[in-house]
């Protein structure tokens, strides 16, 4: 039977997340507040009209179906015609994302979705699954499960369906050996080859999973799921002033992967530039909520972005590995990552065959994966000298 995230909340695990926790009873800021509808031409909360030049509303059947499905199951804030302040849209470049339809204050809960509708990708929360194993669970528990595939159809239909989807930025699981070598960054090459090997082994071991569908499911799980770190049950983590547990990054950090519908449409910005964060309301209650909370004031019409990753401070290399694109604003994190690599694993430090200027010159004509590879190389080289 399909797993729901609530089942895991009811197990007595201490969940230490990269997004803050709060109680819906503690403050009005910690629950969704419906917005008053504004008449055309401005007025009301937020002032002037939405700047429609920044995005075009997404009215595709799969997104409208997802919003209707979630709204009919107690989700709040997803429909601007019913007090919501958020909608799915396309940027001028054609990138799908989340946008606010009215001005927002700092620390405002924009929308919330019952935890029952987060699709957990493990049957046992004590299992420390790899992304490939979580992808296999996604196929078995949801996409290929006769009952679950119908129960969660609106959620599954809103996910990318194939490599031809224009919104897909392919993770390096699809890179050839030649493309991997072009990365010229040994730690990333090693991580990708390890995952590609696991993909092939798992597909060979199970007749019910083809390499093609497992590879695409791995891309989906890697790029669309939220990784929730799990603490040691006996630990007592320190919290910051926002109620956010202070995580200690490390190779042995266990995570629980969950697909959170609608919220997974938020695009990425570095922790410094993100204007929103994922937020978990009432995790100790039966009725817990996944939500999106602002971290600063946001004018109407702006895109809502979060910092991807387990800690929110991933390097460009981490983002490329798990999400398939190279960010442009991770210089400080890249600088620290490279410094640590040189000190602790000097043999793994990159031996570049080109300069950043040469990479940027080649970028003028490059497209697709080659452009992504060159962007990473140029970004890391710039971080070295920054």
């Amino acid at each position: 039977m399909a797993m729901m995230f609530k089942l895991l909340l009811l197990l007595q695990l201490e969940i230490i997340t990269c997004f803050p926790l709060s109680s819906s009873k503690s403050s009005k800021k910690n629950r969704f507040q419906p917005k008053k509808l504004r008449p055309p031409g401005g007025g009301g909360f937020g002032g002037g009209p939405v700047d429609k030049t920044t995005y075009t509303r997404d009215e595709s059947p799969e997104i409208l179906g997802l919003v209707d499905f979630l709204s009919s199951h107690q989700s709040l804030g997803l429909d601007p015609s019913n007090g919501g302040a958020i909608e799915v849209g396309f940027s001028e470049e054609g990138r799908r994302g989340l946008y606010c339809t009215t001005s927002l204050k700092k620390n405002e809960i924009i929308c919330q979705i019952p935890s029952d509708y987060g699709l957990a990708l493990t049957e046992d929360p004590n299992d420390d699954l790899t992304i490939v194993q979580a992808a296999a669970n996604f196929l078995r528990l949801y996409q290929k499960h006769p009952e679950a595939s119908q129960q969660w159809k609106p959620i599954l239909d809103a996910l990318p369906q194939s490599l031809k989807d224009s919104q897909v930025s392919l993770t390096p699981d699809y890179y050839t050996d030649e493309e991997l070598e072009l990365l010229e960054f040994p730690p990333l090459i090693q991580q990708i080859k390890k995952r590609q090997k696991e993909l092939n082994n798992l597909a060979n071991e199970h007749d019910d999973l083809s390499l093609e569908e497992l590879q695409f499911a791995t891309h989906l799980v890697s790029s669309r799921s939220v990784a929730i770190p799990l603490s040691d049950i006996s630990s007592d983590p320190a919290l910051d002033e926002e109620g956010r547990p202070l995580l200690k990054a490390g190779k042995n950090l266990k995570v629980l992967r969950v697909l959170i519908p609608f919220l997974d449409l938020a695009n990425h910005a570095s922790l410094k530039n993100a204007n929103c964060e994922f937020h978990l309301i009432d995790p100790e209650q039966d009725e817990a909520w996944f939500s999106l909370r602002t971290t600063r004031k946001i004018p109407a019409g702006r895109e809502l972005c979060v910092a991807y990753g387990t800690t929110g401070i991933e390097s460009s290399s981490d983002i490329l590995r798990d999400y398939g694109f190279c960010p442009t604003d991770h210089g400080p994190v890249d600088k620290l990552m490279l410094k640590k690599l040189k000190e602790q694993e000097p043999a793994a430090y990159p031996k570049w065959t080109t300069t950043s200027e040469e990479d940027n010159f080649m970028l003028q004509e490059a497209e697709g994966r080659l452009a992504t590879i060159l962007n990473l190389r140029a970004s890391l080289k710039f971080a070295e000298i920054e």
Side-chain angles (χ1 to χ4, degrees):
M1 182 175 289
M3 292 284 292
M4 293 186 291
F5 184 74
K6 183 175 178 181
L7 299 180
L8 299 175
L9 292 176
L10 295 178
L11 296 172
Q12 295 181 351
L13 279 176
E14 184 177 1
I15 300 179
I16 301 303
T17 76
C18 55
F19 42 90
L21 315 177
S22 72
S23 167
S24 60
K25 299 178 180 179
S26 61
S27 167
K28 286 186 177 180
K29 287 184 177 181
N30 290 330
R31 59 180 183 271
F32 170 72
Q33 298 292 309
K35 298 285 183 281
K36 293 181 179 179
L37 295 181
R38 296 178 296 163
F45 185 86
V50 174
D51 180 5
K52 289 297 184 181
T53 63
T54 60
Y55 74 97
T56 303
R57 186 170 185 263
D58 186 346
E59 297 183 339
S60 60
E62 62 269 18
I63 293 300
L64 294 179
L66 175 66
V67 171
D68 287 345
F69 174 76
L70 293 174
S71 297
S72 67
H73 290 87
Q74 299 184 309
S75 294
L76 303 174
L78 310 186
D79 185 0
S81 67
N82 192 30
I86 185 174
E87 65 182 2
V88 184
F90 290 101
S91 67
E92 294 176 340
E93 296 76 28
R95 185 180 70 169
R96 177 182 275 159
L98 299 180
Y99 294 84
C100 59
T101 59
T102 187
S103 297
L104 299 170
K105 298 177 180 179
K106 182 180 179 180
N107 293 330
E108 201 174 333
I109 295 293
I110 311 171
C111 63
Q112 55 189 64
I113 296 169
S115 61
D116 285 2
Y117 293 86
L119 306 184
L121 300 175
T122 179
E123 294 181 285
D124 184 348
N126 292 308
D127 289 342
D128 188 19
L129 300 184
T130 65
I131 288 178
V132 176
Q133 291 169 330
N137 279 346
F138 168 74
L139 292 171
R140 291 172 176 148
L141 296 175
Y142 302 105
Q143 197 167 72
K144 301 184 72 172
H145 192 287
E147 296 176 2
S149 62
Q150 292 304 307
Q151 180 182 0
W152 303 112
K153 189 176 188 303
I155 294 177
L156 298 176
D157 285 350
L159 293 169
Q161 301 298 308
S162 73
L163 299 179
K164 297 180 181 179
D165 193 307
S166 62
Q167 298 301 312
V168 169
S169 295
L170 289 179
T171 48
D173 305 294
Y174 286 93
Y175 282 19
T176 64
D177 288 341
E178 291 76 13
E179 289 169 330
L180 289 179
E181 292 307 314
L182 286 176
L183 287 167
E184 296 188 356
F185 191 58
L188 178 58
I189 295 172
Q190 182 180 8
Q191 293 164 2
I192 296 169
K193 285 186 174 181
K194 180 179 179 181
R195 199 151 86 183
Q196 288 180 338
K197 181 178 180 180
E198 185 184 4
L199 271 167
N200 282 282
N201 289 342
L202 193 59
N204 289 332
E205 292 170 3
H206 299 278
D207 295 335
D208 60 327
L209 300 176
S210 69
L211 177 59
E212 182 179 4
E213 62 186 358
L214 184 58
Q215 196 172 29
F216 190 68
T218 297
H219 157 76
L220 279 180
V221 169
S222 181
S223 62
R224 300 296 288 264
S225 67
V226 174
I228 303 179
L230 302 177
S231 77
D232 187 309
I233 294 178
S234 63
S235 67
D236 186 15
L239 306 179
D240 65 14
E241 65 275 7
E242 296 288 340
R244 185 200 308 267
L246 299 174
L247 295 177
K248 293 183 178 180
K251 296 180 179 179
N252 298 321
L253 185 66
K254 291 186 177 182
V255 299
L256 170 68
R257 289 199 167 269
V258 184
L259 283 166
I260 308 176
F262 192 85
L263 297 189
D264 65 359
L265 293 168
N267 285 314
H268 170 77
S270 68
L271 193 61
K272 177 182 177 181
N273 294 322
N275 54 17
C276 292
E277 64 187 0
F278 294 135
H279 189 83
L280 186 57
I281 303 174
D282 292 339
E284 74 286 354
Q285 302 295 325
D286 286 355
E287 294 184 0
W289 303 84
F290 291 115
S291 67
L292 192 64
R293 184 172 76 167
T294 62
T295 57
R296 63 186 70 184
K297 292 181 180 179
I298 308 175
R302 291 288 179 85
E303 183 174 10
L304 304 173
C305 294
V306 299
Y308 284 1
T310 306
T311 64
I313 52 173
E314 273 68 15
S315 68
S316 297
S317 173
D318 296 330
I319 295 296
L320 175 57
R321 178 195 64 216
D322 291 335
Y323 299 94
F325 66 91
C326 179
T328 59
D329 55 357
H330 281 237
V333 178
D334 290 341
K335 186 178 183 68
L336 290 173
M337 179 269 293
L338 289 168
K339 179 182 178 184
K340 182 178 178 181
L341 181 64
K342 181 178 286 187
E343 293 173 350
Q344 299 183 2
E345 300 179 64
Y349 200 82
K351 299 176 176 61
W352 306 115
T353 61
T354 59
T355 65
S356 58
E357 290 79 8
E358 290 171 330
D359 288 340
N360 285 320
F361 178 78
M362 288 186 285
L363 265 171
Q364 297 176 23
E365 302 293 333
E367 296 179 349
R369 299 178 195 175
L370 178 57
T372 302
I373 291 168
L374 291 172
N375 267 316
L376 177 70
R377 284 169 27 174
S379 296
L380 295 181
K381 291 169 189 175
F382 180 76
E384 284 180 319
I385 62 176
E386 191 178 29

